[in-house]
Every structure is written in C-alpha cells, then in structure tokens.
C-alpha cells in the first residue's frame, strides 16, 4: 500500500507521514522546500521537490498529478493549504487514485473571512462584530469612528498572517494603512473586527456528509505570534458551545473531510465567537491522538470505503507542546520592549514550569527531522528573532487564491 502526501514543513505533516507508516503505508512526500524537515523522517519512502505552492501553484499541481500518473497509489492526502489548490484538480486526481475533498469553491468559500459572516449567521453561530469596507478610504472613515479595540485581518489568510490587534483606537488608521501597503491589499481591503479579549479555543473535526465522526477541542495556552496565531502549547478542554457551533456549520456545509475552527472566548461572558475556519486538517490532530482520538486512522478507513462509527470522546487535560515554537514564544516576550522586567520574568516562570506534556515532533525512533529543523533554525536565527520572523515558516505553506484564479483565467484565455 502506498500513499502520496503533499507535506509543507510542519509538525502536522510529520505526524501524518508517521501515522501512515504505522498503518502500513509506504509514503511518498511532495513538498516545495529543499530544507523541509519532514522529508528526513524514516517514515518517508520517496521524496519529490515540486515548484513553490505560493509562487507557482500550477507547477506544484502538475508535479503532483505527474507523480500520480507515473506510480500507483492507494490515495492522495494534502496537508494544510496545498489542499485548497489541489481541490481544484479533484476530478483529475480521482481518475488516478482516491481523494477526499470538497470542491474548490466550497473550500475557498469556507476559508474566506468575509464570507464567514454570512454562513455563520445562517448556521446560528456567533461572530464578533465585523466590518468589510469596500475601499481603503471607507475603511479609514470607519476606523476614525470606532472607539473600541479591533483586529485588522486580510480576508484570506493563514496562521494570523497579516493580522494586527490594535488596542488603541487612535492608532487604528495608521496600522490599517501599514497592513494594506505591506501586503498590497488595495483591491481587497482588510476586514475590521471587534477584538474579543479572552482565551483562544480551537477545534479539529473529521466529518462525513455533514455529520461529525470525531473531533478534538483544545485551548491554546501559548501562541506565536503572542497576539494570536499558531499554538505552541495547548490543552484539551471541554467546550459544549464549540462542539455545538462546529456541528451547526458542518451540517450547513454538508461537509466531508477535515475542517477546523478557532473561537475567541469572551473573558467576561464566557461566550464563544467564531474568528476563523480552516477547511483542512490542523495541528490539533496531534494532540487528539495523545488524548485518545485517532482522527487519521478514521480518515484512512473512510478513504478506503469503510463505514466509520463516532470516535470516542477525547480525554480532557492532555497537554501537547511544539518545543521550538514554544521557545520562540519565550524569546518574543523576552525581546518585547513593551513588557516590563517583572512581566518578562513572569513569562519565563510560566514557560519554565514543567507539567506532564506530550511533544509534537520529538520521537527517539525518528530523530533526523528534529536535527534538520534545528539546523534550519540556527542558520536563520537573525530572521527568526525579527518582528516578522514567523513568516519564514509560512512562505511555502500559503496558497495565494487570488493569484491562482488570475493565472487560471489567463491560461483559459490563451487556450
């Protein structure tokens, strides 16, 4: 049995290939980064380097499809945002192997933060107050009138990419202009969302025809960036409202496959507000495995045509840590000029506290990825400690939907 997996350099990708090996598969990985630590895993049987998902999405897709034509695979599984791109080629891929994916339009609609207001309202799910200005000029006018903290966020983004929390409303217009300029968003003015102060609650679900078959709910104890992004330290928690909201949206979409959600829990009321939908697998699948929920095992059964029962509930209080990113959390706080010495010392004490914790990556039976990752980190230490250091990891994760749609239209026009 052989599986083809597209694997950006992420702990989720590493977990997927290791779990597939445990399930008896020989794994071929396709990535677009020559330094991807995932490819060093002893769970990988064959590696292919494709053009960049971000800069040459059609070249990336062509490399995947060419490999499916050359070799016989039991199924194809894309990890993270490469799944958005490859859903466009779903019909072609299914001529050569099995693939579970919603359509390209369904996936990009679910991922669009502006569209989220519409489908959340239709599904009966609470969201923060959100404004979607039709121009940068109208956004400035709105921000001049707003008197509360806001989050400025691109309409399509990953891992808080391009996002900015502005606690001082007087700085909001300037911060908005900086984001527009940096990310060239003049034609897609970022959203303006009310900032909800409180813990970040995240979920990951495996669904079939709008019904949840297995899920994990967890709280992000620490994130990078510290204002919100990828969780470096997390714990499984009980959140009936998160499960209710997930079920409503999944039923609304009639979703099949992986889908994940992020909520901010108002620290005053305890109410959840949906802030993000990621129509893909998420890092919580690793924590879920440690908490007794084998989402990848269930997915393999599903793609092989087996009926899958509702998976057992997760065990609460299970912790998981991504060590290199958690070290980044400490360094970001230690170099933050806005924090006092007392606050920095409190951060260190929090970070140094040792509790029973599972690790996302480290495995004594498979250490090469760990060494490859740290070699990359040490070579790029200066960049990583800069204010935008986290984006060094995002470069080959992201799918530029607007660019891809433009290229497809141009290609069709040429034909």
């Amino acid at each position: 049995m052989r599986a083809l997996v597209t694997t950006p350099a992420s702990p989720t990708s590493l977990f997927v290939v290791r779990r597939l090996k445990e399930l008896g598969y020989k794994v071929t990985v396709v990535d677009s980064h020559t330094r991807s630590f995932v490819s060093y895993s002893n769970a990988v049987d064959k590696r292919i380097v494709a053009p960049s998902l971000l800069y040459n999405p059609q070249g990336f897709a062509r490399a995947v499809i060419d490999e499916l034509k050359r070799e016989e695979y039991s199924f194809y599984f894309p990890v993270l945002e490469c799944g958005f791109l490859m859903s466009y080629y779903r019909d072609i891929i299914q001529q050569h192997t099995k693939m579970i994916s919603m359509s390209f339009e369904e996936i990009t609609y679910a991922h669009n933060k502006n569209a989220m207001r519409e489908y959340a309202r239709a599904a009966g799910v609470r969201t923060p107050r959100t404004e979607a200005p039709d121009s940068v000029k109208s956004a400035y006018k709105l921000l001049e009138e707003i008197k509360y903290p806001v989050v400025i966020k691109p309409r399509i983004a990953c891992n808080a990419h391009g996002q900015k929390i502005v606690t001082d409303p007087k700085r909001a217009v300037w911060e908005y202009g900086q984001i527009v300029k940096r990310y060239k968003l003049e034609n897609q003015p970022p959203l303006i969302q009310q900032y909800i102060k409180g813990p970040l609650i995240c979920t990951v679900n495996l669904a079939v025809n709008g019904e949840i078959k297995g899920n994990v709910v967890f709280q992000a104890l620490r994130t990078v960036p510290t204002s919100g992004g990828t969780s470096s330290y997390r714990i499984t928690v009980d959140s009936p409202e998160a499960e209710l909201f997930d079920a409503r949206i999944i039923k609304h979409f009639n979703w099949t496959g992986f889908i994940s959600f992020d909520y901010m829990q108002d620290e005053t009321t305890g109410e959840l507000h949906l802030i993000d939908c990621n129509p893909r697998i998420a890092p919580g699948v690793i924590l879920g495995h440690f908490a007794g929920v084998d989402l990848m095992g269930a997915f393999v059964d599903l793609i092989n045509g087996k009926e899958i029962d509702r998976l057992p509930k997760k065990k609460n209080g299970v912790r998981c840590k991504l060590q290199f990113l958690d070290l980044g959390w400490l360094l970001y706080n230690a170099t933050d000029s806005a924090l006092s010495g007392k606050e920095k010392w409190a951060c260190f004490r929090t970070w140094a506290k040792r509790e029973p914790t599972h690790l996302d990556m480290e495995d004594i039976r498979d250490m090469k990825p760990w060494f490859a990752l740290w070699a990359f980190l040490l070579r790029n230490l200066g960049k990583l400690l800069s204010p935008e250091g986290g984006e060094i990891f995002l470069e080959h994760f992201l799918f530029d939907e607007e660019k891809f749609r433009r290229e497809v239209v141009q290609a069709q026009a040429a034909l």
Side-chain angles (χ1 to χ4, degrees), residues 176-277:
Y176 194 95
Q178 292 301 301
I179 291 174
V180 169
K181 181 180 179 181
R182 180 173 179 196
Y183 296 102
K184 299 179 175 60
L185 297 174
E186 291 81 2
N187 296 324
Q188 282 192 317
L191 302 177
I192 302 166
Q193 190 173 84
Q194 178 188 5
Y195 172 57
I196 306 295
K197 188 177 181 181
L200 174 64
I201 304 297
C202 306
T203 67
V204 57
N205 303 269
L206 178 63
V208 179
N209 299 326
E211 179 185 352
I212 295 174
K213 293 296 185 179
N215 72 317
V216 181
V217 182
F218 62 95
Q219 179 181 333
L221 300 174
R222 295 195 280 266
T223 66
V224 179
T226 54
S227 58
T230 301
S231 58
S232 62
Y233 190 36
R234 60 194 85 94
I235 183 172
T236 52
V237 295
D238 188 37
S239 179
E241 191 168 50
E243 295 195 34
L244 173 65
F245 284 173
D246 283 11
R248 286 178 176 176
I249 297 175
I250 286 168
K251 183 177 181 181
H252 177 75
F253 285 147
N254 194 32
W255 197 268
T256 294
F258 283 106
I259 188 167
S260 310
F261 302 95
D262 293 343
Y263 301 91
M264 292 304 300
Q265 184 175 36
D266 191 305
E267 65 178 12
T268 303
T269 65
E271 294 180 336
L272 295 185
H273 298 257
L274 176 67
I275 61 166
D276 205 3
C277 169

Side-chain angles (χ1 to χ4, degrees), residues 363-382:
D363 186 336
I364 195 65
R365 300 163 298 178
D366 188 24
M367 292 300 295
K368 285 183 181 179
W370 186 89
F371 286 113
L373 171 63
W374 279 98
F376 171 76
L377 294 175
L378 292 173
R379 286 198 303 269
N380 293 275
L381 191 59

Side-chain angles (χ1 to χ4, degrees), residues 334-348:
T335 57
D336 188 346
S337 59
L339 296 181
S340 66
K342 187 176 180 180
E343 288 171 325
K344 291 179 181 180
W345 174 245
C347 287
F348 175 77

Side-chain angles (χ1 to χ4, degrees), residues 10 80-81 111 113 157-163 224-225 228-231 262 276 278 280 283 390-391 393-394 397-398:
S10 73
L80 304 185
E81 292 202 359
H111 191 237
K113 290 176 173 58
C158 170
N159 291 324
H161 181 67
Q163 177 177 298
V224 179
T230 301
S231 58
D262 293 343
D276 205 3
N278 289 302
R280 53 169 172 76
E391 297 197 7
F393 290 101
L394 293 177
F397 279 39
L398 301 178

